[in-house]
Amino acid sequence: MHKQTSNLRKKHRHIKNNLLTDEFVYTGDHKEEIYIYLTQYEPDNYVQHTFSSPEKLASALRNGKKSWIHISGLSDTQTIALIGKTLKLHFTDIQDILTSQHIAKIETYEDKTLLIFNTFYYSETKELQQEHICIIMGKDYVFSFQESNLPLFDNIKKAIVQNTTRVRNRPIDYLFCLLVNNVFSNYLDVIASLEDVLDAMEDEIISGKPRDDFGNRIQENRRDYLQLKKSILPLKEDFNKLMHNENKLVCDEDSIYLNDLEDRMLFIIQSIEICRETLASLLDLYFSNNDLKMNEIMKRLTVVTTIFIPLTFVVGVWGMNFKTMPELDWQYGYPMAWGIMGIIVIGVWWYIKKQHWY
């Protein structure tokens, strides 16, 4: 199915200068209503709440329990700003949360770690969709921001309820690693789908019967590849900020999970580069296939031309109509001309076949 123009192709809306205004602007396309989900847990129990207003968050976070606050929907900038002020975030960090095209980054502060990146998924129409994600980890809390209400982290909510892998017994940094790992898993799913599409296209062109829209599909998949690469590559350098763990929000025994996340990130980057190599190979095959088709056409035209050149010469000679030409008055001249031309056609064709030129 030919892809329609996706949200990724739309012209990005940027703030002209966010240092000249104190207003927060959401730059994405998701207009879902905001929901605030609070999950607090201890080894033996958990509590889940849903808020429509952020004012209750401050009091809910004072009880000393490990807390996960998930916010879906970023279009209500005033609510996001109130949450940001509750976390004592700087103005620019709040605006980064609202900027859906923001470059992926990691910022570490004395009392918190902020991670901004994107997740991707394919829609039902095989259209690559992007979603802005922000995760903030503090001493005993994790905030996650998501543009839409898609169930990106439902498996983690279920794990807390069922205490899978004793998640409620672990420090809050383990929850942070779970959330990041979920986003990385989405990357791998999207890359696997892209690799399947590219493999199918490779088989298609090797078979010698590519579809008419093959070139357009290469370009569409190339844009998807560039979007994935642009979104994940900045984390390669910034991930060192997590690994150094200067604010000590990650327990020493849990640093192994950061190492695992780094390995997954590097694997994602490597897989994306493999997609680039496959795309380059497909382009070479596509152009080579077109050249072969053109050569085949030129070969056929050359054979036809080779056959008709001597026929044109014969017809041209007998088309001069000089009075002294003896064949003009001969009653068998016309059949003889056709016979000679027929012998020429058969002779040229036989010679070409013998030389394996066609």
Side-chain angles (χ1 to χ4, degrees), residues 311 314 318 332-347:
L311 300 184
V314 172
W318 276 313
Y332 299 111
Y334 182 70
M336 183 196 70
W338 275 107
I340 292 174
M341 288 190 289
I343 293 171
I344 291 174
V345 169
I346 295 172

Side-chain angles (χ1 to χ4, degrees), residues 96-114:
D96 290 346
I97 295 173
L98 294 169
T99 305
S100 61
Q101 297 86 27
H102 199 282
I103 188 172
K105 71 170 187 175
I106 297 173
E107 295 290 350
T108 55
Y109 301 103
E110 184 178 351
D111 60 340
K112 66 179 69 72
T113 295
L114 181 144

Side-chain angles (χ1 to χ4, degrees), residues 29-260:
D29 297 310
H30 297 272
K31 302 299 180 182
E32 282 86 350
E33 185 177 353
I34 188 171
Y35 289 97
I36 304 172
Y37 303 92
L38 171 64
T39 302
Q40 292 185 315
Y41 57 91
E42 294 176 314
D44 298 327
N45 60 75
Y46 68 92
V47 178
Q48 293 180 323
H49 299 287
T50 301
F51 297 111
S52 57
S53 175
E55 283 83 2
K56 300 179 181 179
L57 280 179
S59 59
L61 293 174
R62 293 195 192 105
N63 56 16
K65 296 182 180 180
K66 288 174 282 190
S67 302
W68 173 27
I69 301 89
H70 179 66
I71 298 95
S72 65
L74 301 180
S75 58
D76 187 346
T77 57
Q78 291 184 348
T79 300
I80 299 299
L82 285 174
I83 296 173
K85 291 174 182 177
T86 301
L87 288 169
K88 298 180 180 180
L89 292 178
H90 191 271
F91 171 86
T92 56
D93 288 332
I94 299 175
Q95 185 55 65
D96 290 346
I97 295 173
L98 294 169
T99 305
S100 61
Q101 297 86 27
H102 199 282
I103 188 172
K105 71 170 187 175
I106 297 173
E107 295 290 350
T108 55
Y109 301 103
E110 184 178 351
D111 60 340
K112 66 179 69 72
T113 295
L114 181 144
L115 169 59
I116 290 178
F117 54 166
N118 296 309
T119 188
F120 294 89
Y121 58 90
Y122 278 110
S123 66
E124 294 179 355
T125 57
K126 305 300 180 184
E127 195 177 329
L128 186 64
Q129 301 290 332
Q130 172 184 314
E131 191 163 351
H132 189 56
I133 302 292
C134 177
I135 301 175
I136 302 173
M137 174 177 61
K139 183 178 179 181
D140 55 3
Y141 65 81
V142 170
F143 276 74
S144 56
F145 297 82
Q146 179 183 352
E147 283 191 276
S148 74
N149 54 11
L150 290 175
L152 179 61
F153 300 120
D154 277 9
N155 59 331
I156 299 178
K157 294 178 183 178
K158 184 178 179 181
I160 293 175
V161 171
Q162 299 177 351
N163 201 20
T164 307
T165 66
R166 298 177 61 83
V167 61
R168 296 203 300 261
N169 301 70
R170 297 175 182 269
I172 197 69
D173 56 21
Y174 183 70
L175 175 62
F176 174 82
C177 293
L178 286 178
L179 296 172
V180 177
N181 191 56
N182 244 40
V183 176
F184 284 173
S185 295
N186 265 33
Y187 266 97
L188 292 172
D189 290 341
V190 168
I191 292 171
S193 298
L194 180 58
E195 287 176 337
D196 289 341
V197 170
L198 296 179
D199 288 342
M201 293 179 67
E202 191 173 33
D203 294 339
E204 181 182 331
I205 197 167
I206 288 176
S207 68
K209 297 180 180 179
R211 283 163 38 184
D212 293 338
D213 62 344
F214 193 89
N216 291 334
R217 285 187 290 146
I218 289 179
Q219 288 302 106
E220 288 166 355
N221 288 309
R222 179 177 175 273
R223 285 193 289 264
D224 291 348
Y225 146 76
L226 289 174
Q227 192 68 24
L228 290 169
K229 180 178 179 180
K230 183 175 70 173
S231 295
I232 192 67
L233 198 58
L235 286 182
K236 186 175 181 181
E237 298 296 332
D238 267 14
F239 214 84
N240 288 327
K241 297 178 182 178
L242 274 182
M243 302 300 294
H244 290 158
N245 193 28
E246 293 179 354
N247 52 21
K248 301 300 180 182
L249 291 178
V250 179
C251 302
D252 291 337
E253 60 269 23
D254 285 345
S255 60
I256 189 171
Y257 298 115
L258 291 181
N259 291 330
D260 182 66

Side-chain angles (χ1 to χ4, degrees), residues 289-307 352 357-358:
N289 188 66
N290 284 344
D291 291 341
L292 288 173
K293 285 184 177 179
M294 184 60 67
N295 289 339
E296 189 65 26
I297 292 172
M298 293 303 297
K299 186 186 293 184
R300 293 177 182 179
L301 291 175
T302 302
V303 169
V304 172
T305 303
T306 303
I307 292 174
I352 290 174
W357 293 349
Y358 180 74

